[in-house]
Amino acid sequence: METSTEGVTEAHSDGTAEPAPAGMITAAAGTAADAGSAPAVPPASLSPSRAGDFMQCPLLYRFRVIDRLPEKPSEAATKGTLVHAVLERLFDAPAAERTAPRAKSLIPAQWDRLRESRPELAELFADDPGGERLARWLGEAEQLVERWFTLEDPSRLEPAERELFVETELESGLRLRGIIDRVDVAPTGEVRIVDYKTGKAPRPEYADSALFQMTFYALVVWRLKNVIPRRLQLVYLGSGDVLTYDPVRADLERVERKLLALWEAIRRATETGDWRPRPTKLCGWCDHQAHCPEFGGTPPPYPLPTRSP
C-alpha cells in the first residue's frame, strides 16, 4: 500500500541523516528546508513510492525527498488510506464476524482517527459546510469496502502480518524499505504478499509497471528471510479485479539490478544537483508546477552540497 504510508514511512526513510560524502562543498543558505522543516539530508534508502517518483520524474523525486515541499491532501489518496485502515482493523474481529456490514461500520471511527492524526485533512471538505460531498465520499469508501468481499473471504483468512514494515540492506549497501498491506502464510510455509488498490486495474500493457511495487517487496522478503514469496496479489477494489503473479528468483534478481541502477542515478543527481523534469501526462496532477521549469517555475535553491566542478 502506498497511500497510507507516505507520511510515516517514506518521509522518515528517505530522510535519514547520513554524513555528507567527502569532496563536497556547502550549499548556499535560504533553502526550502528553512521554513521550519528539518534540514535537508541526502537520500539514504529507497521505497517503491520513491523509486516510482524518480522513474516518473527526477525533479518530482527531488521535490518530495530532498526539498520536502508540501503537498495538498487529495480525496482519492485519503480514501485509499481510510479503506486500508478499515480492512486492516477488520481482522481484529473473530473470523465469523468479518462481514461487510461490520467492515462498513468501522468507517466512521477510522475516519475520525485519521483526521485526528492528520489535521491537514480538515481542508479536504472545508468548502462543504452541508456535508453533502463528505457523505458522498464516505459512501464511495463503503462501496470499495463492500466490493472487497466479492474478491476475498476474510472469514477464511488469518493474515500472518498486516501493515508490515520491512527493511533490508543489500550487499551494495542500498537500503530498501516499505510497508506491505498483508502477508499470508500457508500451512506449508508458502508466502503470499497482498496489496489493496482502491483504483481500477491497469490495462494489460501496464501490468508490469503495476507489479513493480510487489516485486520490490518480494525482493526485500527474499533478502530478509531467504524465502521467495509464492504469490504476489494485487486486489483492485475500484474495478473488482485481482491481479496475481508468481515470481521466480530470476525476476527478483532483475528487479535488484534495476534498483541498483536507479540508486546510482539518484546518487549522481544528489551529488550534482542535476534533477531534470520529465514531462508526462501526469504533470497535470502535480502539486509542484509553481516550482517546475516546465511550467515556468523555478525550483527552490538546492539545499544539499554539490561537488566542485
Side-chain angles (χ1 to χ4, degrees), residues 1-2 5-6 9-10 13-14 45-56 61 64 166 175-180 195 197 209-218 220 259 262:
M1 165 192 173
E2 295 299 286
T5 62
E6 295 300 317
T9 304
E10 307 292 349
S13 64
D14 288 323
S45 62
L46 197 59
S47 70
S49 295
R50 299 294 77 86
D53 286 345
F54 189 85
M55 289 187 289
Q56 176 186 324
Y61 177 97
R64 284 179 166 169
V166 291
R175 280 194 291 141
L176 305 177
R177 56 172 58 187
I179 294 182
I180 300 174
D195 194 75
K197 299 294 185 185
S209 177
L211 279 170
F212 171 75
Q213 174 189 355
M214 302 300 283
T215 51
F216 183 109
Y217 290 144
V220 174
L259 292 173
L262 189 66

Side-chain angles (χ1 to χ4, degrees), residues 25-259:
I25 58 175
T26 303
T31 70
D34 290 336
S37 61
V41 292
S45 62
L46 197 59
S47 70
S49 295
R50 299 294 77 86
D53 286 345
F54 189 85
M55 289 187 289
Q56 176 186 324
C57 175
L59 186 58
L60 174 63
Y61 177 97
R62 177 200 149 170
F63 287 158
R64 284 179 166 169
V65 175
I66 295 178
D67 297 299
R68 304 184 195 179
L69 298 182
E71 297 184 350
K72 296 179 180 178
S74 73
E75 291 187 20
T78 306
K79 188 192 306 172
T81 302
L82 174 60
V83 170
H84 276 78
V86 168
L87 299 188
E88 180 192 3
R89 291 275 70 84
L90 182 64
F91 283 105
D92 291 339
E97 298 178 20
R98 297 171 195 163
T99 64
R102 171 69 175 264
K104 290 191 292 184
S105 74
L106 297 175
I107 291 178
Q110 291 303 315
W111 174 229
D112 290 342
R113 176 175 168 271
L114 192 57
R115 286 186 299 171
E116 290 174 4
S117 63
R118 296 176 55 188
E120 71 274 13
L121 295 181
E123 65 183 87
L124 275 178
F125 300 101
D127 60 348
D128 182 37
E132 293 87 357
R133 191 156 55 86
L134 173 59
R136 184 166 57 251
W137 182 82
L138 290 172
E140 292 168 356
E142 285 190 0
Q143 292 173 6
L144 293 171
V145 168
E146 194 165 25
R147 183 170 290 141
W148 178 52
F149 287 82
T150 69
L151 305 174
E152 297 190 289
D153 181 357
S155 69
R156 302 180 64 182
L157 296 171
E158 291 298 340
E161 301 287 352
R162 290 173 277 155
E163 295 295 312
L164 174 66
F165 174 77
V166 291
E167 179 179 29
T168 192
E169 184 172 311
L170 304 180
E171 290 184 0
S172 65
L174 170 59
R175 280 194 291 141
L176 305 177
R177 56 172 58 187
I179 294 182
I180 300 174
D181 286 348
R182 198 179 86 217
V183 178
D184 300 332
V185 179
T188 56
E190 294 179 319
V191 174
R192 176 173 64 182
I193 295 177
V194 181
D195 194 75
Y196 309 119
K197 299 294 185 185
T198 48
K200 296 180 179 180
R203 296 197 298 269
E205 59 266 32
Y206 297 112
D208 288 345
S209 177
L211 279 170
F212 171 75
Q213 174 189 355
M214 302 300 283
T215 51
F216 183 109
Y217 290 144
L219 171 62
V220 174
V221 170
W222 178 39
R223 291 308 188 195
L224 273 175
K225 304 293 186 181
N226 198 30
V227 173
I228 296 177
R230 174 68 179 82
R231 173 153 295 179
L232 310 178
Q233 182 166 303
L234 284 160
V235 181
Y236 286 94
L237 305 176
S239 57
D241 295 298
V242 176
L243 177 64
T244 62
Y245 184 74
D246 297 341
V248 297
R249 179 174 179 146
D251 295 330
L252 305 188
E253 291 175 337
R254 184 166 53 250
V255 170
E256 186 169 12
R257 290 193 297 270
K258 179 177 182 177
L259 292 173

